[in-house]
Amino acid sequence: MTALRLSYQTVEFGDIDVHLCTLRNNQEFYDPTGIAEKLGISSASWPIFGIVWPSSLVLANYMLDYKTEGKRILEIGCGIALSSLLLNEKHADITATDYHPEVEQFLNRNTKLNNGKNIAFERVDWANDTSKLGLFDVIIGSDLLYEDEHVQLLAYFIKNHASEKCDVIIVDPGRGRKNKLSVKLAEFGFISSHFKPIHTDYLALPFKGYILVFSRGNIVA
């Protein structure tokens, strides 16, 4: 990471502080051996993982009051993993995943920065899911539906890792694919609700997206 310009910040959630090392901005790029390129990650999309985006802030604030005791939680496409780090501070059972090859390094760095316990991580490919993650009671993620093809890939990945009783919480900034995901997850027994987040004064601009909640066999906490 020595060739990258980094930034440090603290995000406050009530009485919980989460300290973050992130990329300085979304223009950073460092792939000297072409690992990301071989994975299909372009120089333009390479930095996306390393920034704190509004959707990730909305998700983390939603999870702040979520009842996590006794639940195994999976964050999909975690990026800089703000929600995973927050849940780790709450002593939740959290596992993080992403496709980007640099995510694990940043996650480990930020876990140490917060003096937290190690967060389980696995690099996964929705299109070729050979992971041994197992099943989860809660699955979360933010800004995951960039392309139409992601709807089916994400839905099947969720299906493969959702317990019989499972809540799925996804924050979408308004990319126009939330209804398609709802239809697909309904095939797997999930009931959906979409709603606007409230009290988003922690964001610089009004949030135009939605919190998507899918529940199977559960009442969402």
Side-chain angles (χ1 to χ4, degrees):
M1 292 194 292
T2 54
L4 295 170
R5 299 189 70 190
L6 304 176
S7 177
Y8 289 86
Q9 61 184 287
T10 298
V11 185
E12 299 179 7
F13 300 94
D15 59 356
I16 299 177
D17 292 338
V18 176
H19 308 295
L20 292 175
C21 171
T22 68
L23 298 180
R24 178 72 59 89
N25 53 51
N26 61 2
Q27 302 301 311
E28 296 298 317
F29 174 69
Y30 186 66
D31 188 28
T33 60
I35 294 175
E37 183 181 7
K38 291 174 184 175
L39 294 173
I41 301 171
S42 68
S43 58
S45 61
W46 191 94
I48 290 175
F49 83 93
I51 304 294
V52 178
W53 299 100
S55 293
S56 66
L57 285 165
V58 171
L59 177 62
N61 275 277
Y62 184 84
M63 297 306 297
L64 177 63
D65 297 320
Y66 190 93
K67 297 176 182 177
T68 61
E69 186 176 355
K71 297 176 182 177
R72 190 170 187 234
I73 306 171
L74 173 67
E75 183 173 12
I76 302 176
C78 67
I80 210 66
L82 179 59
S83 288
S84 288
L85 291 163
L86 170 65
L87 291 170
N88 204 41
E89 290 293 303
K90 293 178 62 178
H91 307 292
D93 181 355
I94 178 68
T95 297
T97 63
D98 202 285
Y99 185 59
H100 198 291
E102 294 295 328
V103 164
E104 185 174 15
Q105 188 173 183
F106 273 84
L107 178 64
N108 291 338
R109 182 172 187 156
N110 283 321
T111 301
K112 292 177 182 177
L113 195 61
N114 288 279
N115 297 313
K117 65 179 178 64
N118 290 337
I119 297 175
F121 175 85
E122 188 165 341
R123 196 185 73 79
V124 299
D125 181 357
W126 298 348
N128 183 27
D129 181 19
T130 59
S131 67
K132 294 180 173 58
L133 292 165
L135 302 179
F136 294 83
D137 307 300
V138 183
I139 298 174
I140 65 174
S142 62
D143 202 356
L144 302 176
L145 302 172
Y146 280 86
E147 306 289 345
D148 284 341
E149 66 184 52
H150 292 163
V151 173
Q152 180 158 311
L153 292 175
L154 176 59
Y156 275 99
F157 187 83
I158 289 172
K159 172 182 177 289
N160 290 342
H161 297 289
S163 296
E164 183 177 349
K165 293 182 178 181
C166 181
D167 293 332
V168 180
I169 302 160
I170 296 174
V171 176
D172 185 79
R175 297 190 183 276
R177 298 180 179 89
K178 67 181 189 302
N179 292 333
K180 293 179 180 179
L181 182 62
S182 295
V183 170
K184 196 64 187 176
L185 286 179
E187 297 177 13
F188 306 138
F190 285 92
I191 298 172
S192 66
S193 63
H194 306 164
F195 54 90
K196 291 279 190 180
I198 57 176
H199 306 308
T200 56
D201 52 345
Y202 50 84
L203 298 178
L205 298 172
F207 188 71
K208 298 180 180 180
Y210 292 83
I211 298 175
L212 318 179
V213 177
F214 308 91
S215 184
R216 184 173 67 185
N218 280 336
I219 297 176
V220 177

